[in-house]
Amino acid sequence: MANHKSSIKRIRANATKRLRNRYQAKTTRNAIKKLRTSTSAEEAKTLLPRVISMLDRLAKKNVIHKKKASNNKSKLTKFVNGLA
């Protein structure tokens, strides 16, 4: 167990950030799945900007790598353009 006040606080802060990161990452994954399973082009086109924004936010906060976010955005854009 940690002996210093600062390390105890750091453990608490890390636990809080970890939960927040897991929640945001899971929410984004669910949004990606919803976008991938959509069959109508209109629905997909409305979902795409929201999903791209989520991916950008995760990459900005280093929850996922910026290149992974870029690859996901590219693949999803191709998918949506293929529906139209």
Side-chain angles (χ1 to χ4, degrees):
M1 187 62 193
N3 293 321
H4 298 282
K5 267 189 175 181
S6 61
S7 58
I8 292 170
K9 181 178 177 182
R10 178 60 39 211
I11 289 170
R12 280 199 321 265
N14 286 342
T16 304
K17 288 178 185 176
R18 179 177 169 271
L19 284 175
R20 187 183 311 121
N21 288 342
R22 283 183 60 203
Y23 171 77
Q24 289 174 345
K26 184 65 175 178
T27 306
T28 305
R29 281 198 305 271
N30 286 339
I32 290 172
K33 285 177 191 171
K34 184 176 180 183
L35 178 61
R36 282 238 175 243
T37 57
S38 67
T39 53
S40 73
E42 302 87 37
E43 182 188 2
K45 284 185 180 181
T46 57
L47 281 174
L48 183 64
R50 196 177 297 162
V51 172
I52 285 177
S53 173
M54 292 170 129
L55 288 168
D56 285 338
R57 212 171 304 129
L58 289 179
K60 180 180 167 187
K61 294 179 180 180
N62 290 323
V63 177
I64 61 173
H65 196 272
K66 65 180 181 179
K67 290 189 178 181
K68 179 180 176 68
S70 180
N71 286 333
N72 278 338
K73 290 190 304 186
S74 173
K75 288 177 185 176
L76 290 171
T77 305
K78 278 185 181 179
F79 172 77
V80 170
N81 289 338
L83 285 177

